[in-house]
Amino acid sequence: MTGISDVEALVDCVDDARASEAVAPASAPEGLRDALEQATEAHTGTYAVACASADGSWSVNVNGDEPFVSASIIKLAILGTLLDQAQSGVLSLDDSVTVGPSDVVGGTGVIQASGAGGSYTYRQLAAYMIQDSDNIATNLIIDAVGMPAVNEYTRGIGLTQTALNRRMMDFSTDVENYTSANDVAHMLQLVYQGKLVSSDASEFALDLLKGQHDDAGLLEGLPAGSVFAHKTGTLDGVFNDGGIVLDQNPYVLVVLSGDAERSQAQDCMADVAQKADSAIG
């Protein structure tokens, strides 16, 4: 005869099994990693790829933890730091700052056309930084939050290879800014999950990423009409892109490159995106 203690033990085992099943991660799409690896090996250059479900249930990568020169994709971490300080009351997104003569730098952006003297809120600067990759806007935000705070923020959210070591367009030293494909994918997952500082901050960040003006890269390999909330980054020999594919099965896709011309990297990205989307379905 089964005693009460035996029944209780059986119930406990069933409950434990259900709990284990509930937290068990979903499997990545079959053949996805092999397809991504084949895509990177077929193109000139060095590449890292991270592909993961937007909800965090599965992930695969190729060289995902390898540090790569970040170029402007580091601006995701700067945005996170800005939103974190706005949440804690260190500053307000509606505070304004005036562009000084020494703030005017080259590279990408729209503020440089207006030159010194213009005033912008941090909300406006964030939009310029993400959607236009504006370097003046980015440096003004770095000055406001502090470079050490950016690196403290990235460590706090679990990034291991991301480091902001210089302002945009500061080539006075040999130092560079770095990140990894897995780090970028993690930030994008936080945005999708509403966990980048807060749900409101995440929604703001997602709207900015959806308004990205540089559509060269991974979007070229996705099906026509795809909504891709993303951020690119370009330097000599470097072309990076990472974002969230907002379809019926939302997922994050990131490609970082090194030692590759932009056209070579774009070809690789298109190949990676096609293979990823086909495998995920």
Side-chain angles (χ1 to χ4, degrees):
M1 178 180 294
T2 302
I4 293 177
S5 60
D6 294 327
V7 172
E8 289 176 341
L10 179 60
V11 169
D12 288 341
C13 288
V14 171
D15 287 343
D16 289 344
R18 286 174 176 170
S20 177
E21 183 179 19
V23 300
S27 298
E30 186 176 355
L32 176 57
R33 191 190 184 283
D34 288 343
L36 298 179
E37 190 169 44
Q38 290 168 9
T40 60
E41 291 175 348
H43 297 274
T44 302
T46 304
Y47 299 96
V49 181
C51 186
S53 62
D55 64 8
S57 59
W58 59 262
S59 66
V60 297
N61 72 85
V62 178
N63 302 322
D65 284 326
E66 292 297 316
F68 276 66
V69 173
S70 67
S72 287
I73 211 165
I74 193 75
K75 293 168 183 176
L76 284 172
I78 298 168
L79 175 64
T81 308
L82 174 69
L83 297 177
D84 184 56
Q85 293 196 4
Q87 178 77 15
S88 62
V90 174
L91 51 75
S92 168
L93 294 181
D94 296 318
D95 290 342
S96 61
V97 60
T98 300
V99 179
S102 62
D103 296 320
V104 179
V105 296
T108 55
V110 296
I111 296 179
Q112 58 187 266
S114 301
S119 292
Y120 306 88
T121 66
Y122 288 113
R123 190 182 305 276
Q124 291 173 310
L125 293 175
Y128 286 137
M129 176 175 70
I130 298 300
Q131 297 178 337
D132 300 288
S133 210
D134 194 295
N135 291 319
I136 297 175
T138 305
N139 285 343
L140 290 171
I141 293 174
I142 292 173
D143 291 345
V145 302
M147 194 177 298
V150 176
N151 293 321
E152 182 179 351
Y153 171 77
T154 60
R155 291 191 295 271
I157 63 172
L159 308 189
T160 61
Q161 301 297 336
T162 300
L164 178 67
N165 297 314
R166 65 165 177 82
R167 300 166 85 245
M168 302 302 107
M169 304 306 291
D170 179 5
F171 301 116
S172 60
T173 68
D174 293 332
V175 299
E176 260 300 352
N177 301 320
Y178 291 93
T179 192
S180 69
N182 283 346
D183 278 3
V184 176
H186 181 60
M187 282 189 283
L188 293 167
Q189 286 176 314
L190 292 178
V191 170
Y192 178 83
Q193 295 167 19
K195 298 177 181 178
L196 188 77
V197 181
S198 68
S199 59
D200 288 344
S202 298
E203 184 177 356
F204 176 66
L206 183 61
D207 285 342
L208 294 184
L209 293 168
K210 287 164 68 175
Q212 173 62 237
H213 294 153
D214 183 4
D215 285 338
L218 290 168
L219 186 59
E220 295 177 337
L222 295 173
S226 295
V227 178
F228 188 47
H230 67 124
K231 181 72 191 80
T232 57
T234 307
L235 285 172
D236 288 342
V238 174
F239 183 50
N240 301 328
D241 193 10
I244 310 164
V245 181
L246 296 165
D247 63 7
Q248 61 181 358
N249 296 308
Y251 65 94
V252 165
L253 185 60
V254 180
V255 175
L256 307 182
S257 73
D259 302 319
E261 297 297 328
R262 179 167 174 141
S263 60
Q264 296 167 340
Q266 283 183 227
D267 288 343
C268 180
M269 287 182 181
D271 196 5
V272 166
Q274 288 171 353
K275 285 181 168 57
D277 202 75
S278 176
I280 294 169

